[in-house]
Amino acid sequence: GPLLDFKVGRLAAAGHQPYPATLIKGSYTKLDLVEELQGVGVDPALPVFFLWEANTMYLPPAECRAFLGSILKAFPRCLVSFDYFTEPVA
């Protein structure tokens, strides 16, 4: 999407190489992230690390749980690191 294109463009303009990864463009809440990851070769049988920062506070709790559940089910050997706020703070 536009945000990733912007970031890649800014890195290139500063003389930096592109990300050493395959970028999946789109909103993870709208696409089938598991399918997209498997489509670019991520093997669900191998250990995978997901860094999910600065997102949970913008989603309803049920949507956060559903997203985490889909990742944990599809990638049983994964680790997920994320931040969150409790309701009184949000």
Side-chain angles (χ1 to χ4, degrees):
L3 182 58
L4 284 177
D5 292 340
F6 172 78
K7 288 180 177 184
V8 169
R10 295 292 293 166
L11 288 169
H16 298 286
Q17 296 295 317
Y19 291 105
T22 300
L23 300 177
I24 297 173
K25 297 180 181 181
S27 171
Y28 68 91
T29 62
K30 293 186 172 70
L31 53 82
D32 185 337
L33 185 60
V34 170
E35 182 178 295
E36 294 288 332
L37 290 169
Q38 290 174 342
V40 296
V42 177
D43 184 347
L46 296 177
V48 178
F49 177 72
F50 291 95
L51 178 59
W52 191 31
E53 291 182 315
N55 281 262
T56 61
M57 66 282 297
Y58 300 110
L59 300 174
E63 196 168 335
C64 290
R65 286 190 294 275
F67 175 74
L68 285 171
S70 70
I71 293 297
L72 295 171
K73 182 179 178 184
F75 299 93
R77 296 184 63 199
C78 78
L79 295 174
V80 181
S81 180
F82 62 95
D83 53 357
Y84 68 95
F85 291 113
T86 60
E87 284 189 42
V89 176

